[in-house]
Amino acid sequence: MKLCQDVVVEIRRTSQSRSIVDNFRSGDKIQVFSAGRQLDGNGTFIRAEGGFLVWEDNSGNRNTTSLESISVHRLRKRNC
């Protein structure tokens, strides 16, 4: 199987952001975009905390990205 784009979730820091981020689970494979540009390729969701997304890129670097205006694509394995 290969990784296929599954769900696109727009995350913006609003009163509803918490419930949107709650749809992600630690370990989910993700892509993070800011201003339409992909940041550091694919990675792994760790948590959302204090208005920030905490995630690890495929190089093993831990990243903290503001939820102010980002998009997160969740990836999952499935037949395409």
Side-chain angles (χ1 to χ4, degrees):
M1 285 189 221
K2 61 181 179 175
L3 285 176
C4 303
Q5 185 173 315
D6 177 41
V7 178
V8 177
V9 178
E10 295 291 327
I11 299 177
R12 299 194 188 283
R13 190 166 161 68
T14 66
S15 59
Q16 296 179 346
S17 291
R18 186 74 226 156
S19 62
I20 292 170
V21 174
D22 284 343
N23 291 326
F24 289 90
R25 300 288 176 246
S26 183
D28 282 350
K29 299 297 181 193
I30 61 173
Q31 291 177 316
V32 181
F33 294 83
S34 178
R37 297 184 55 174
Q38 188 172 351
L39 304 176
D40 298 325
N42 298 339
T44 304
F45 177 84
I46 298 173
R47 69 180 173 277
E49 178 179 290
F52 291 90
L53 171 68
V54 180
W55 61 289
E56 186 173 286
D57 63 30
N58 284 338
S59 298
N61 300 310
R62 186 160 290 194
N63 300 280
T64 304
T65 305
S66 174
L67 291 174
E68 282 298 323
S69 183
I70 63 172
S71 298
V72 178
H73 295 209
R74 182 182 352 217
L75 304 174
R76 72 173 183 174
K77 289 183 180 180
R78 67 181 172 125
N79 292 325
C80 299

